[in-house]
Amino acid sequence: HIAWGIVPTADTVLDLDADALLGALDDRVNQLVAKGMDRDQLYRQSILTPACGMGSKSEAVSDKVMELLCLLSAKLRDREKLV
């Protein structure tokens, strides 16, 4: 399993959306696929997490991080239904 710390906890997260994070995740998965790993297995065995350091952030940043995490997860579930 891979726990992707894919949602940044820096204040810049306020300017991100779930589509940008999905693109970043896909890019990282593509790098591993290029090295011979199975794409479907990577997605099946992935856990989405915030990056480290959220505990010291403002409530607004923490809320945004969790919102994006939920939206990203939903996008991956929706994509899975299309396959």
Side-chain angles (χ1 to χ4, degrees):
H1 290 84
I2 297 176
W4 301 96
I6 197 71
V7 182
T9 56
D11 292 348
T12 56
V13 74
L14 298 172
D15 298 323
L16 290 177
D17 63 25
D19 289 325
L21 294 174
L22 182 58
L25 178 62
D26 288 341
D27 287 345
R28 286 162 180 82
V29 168
N30 288 337
Q31 290 173 13
L32 294 174
V33 168
K35 294 179 186 279
M37 297 187 80
D38 180 78
R39 179 182 311 280
D40 292 333
Q41 184 178 9
L42 282 166
Y43 282 110
R44 276 194 316 273
Q45 294 183 308
S46 289
I47 300 167
L48 303 176
T49 69
C52 294
M54 192 171 80
S56 62
K57 296 300 176 178
S58 69
E59 188 174 336
V61 169
S62 297
D63 285 348
K64 180 68 174 194
V65 168
M66 296 311 292
E67 174 189 345
L68 287 172
L69 194 59
C70 290
L71 289 170
L72 178 57
S73 180
K75 285 184 173 292
L76 284 174
R77 280 192 310 271
D78 289 346
R79 179 194 282 177
E80 205 172 272
K81 291 175 189 174
L82 296 175
V83 176

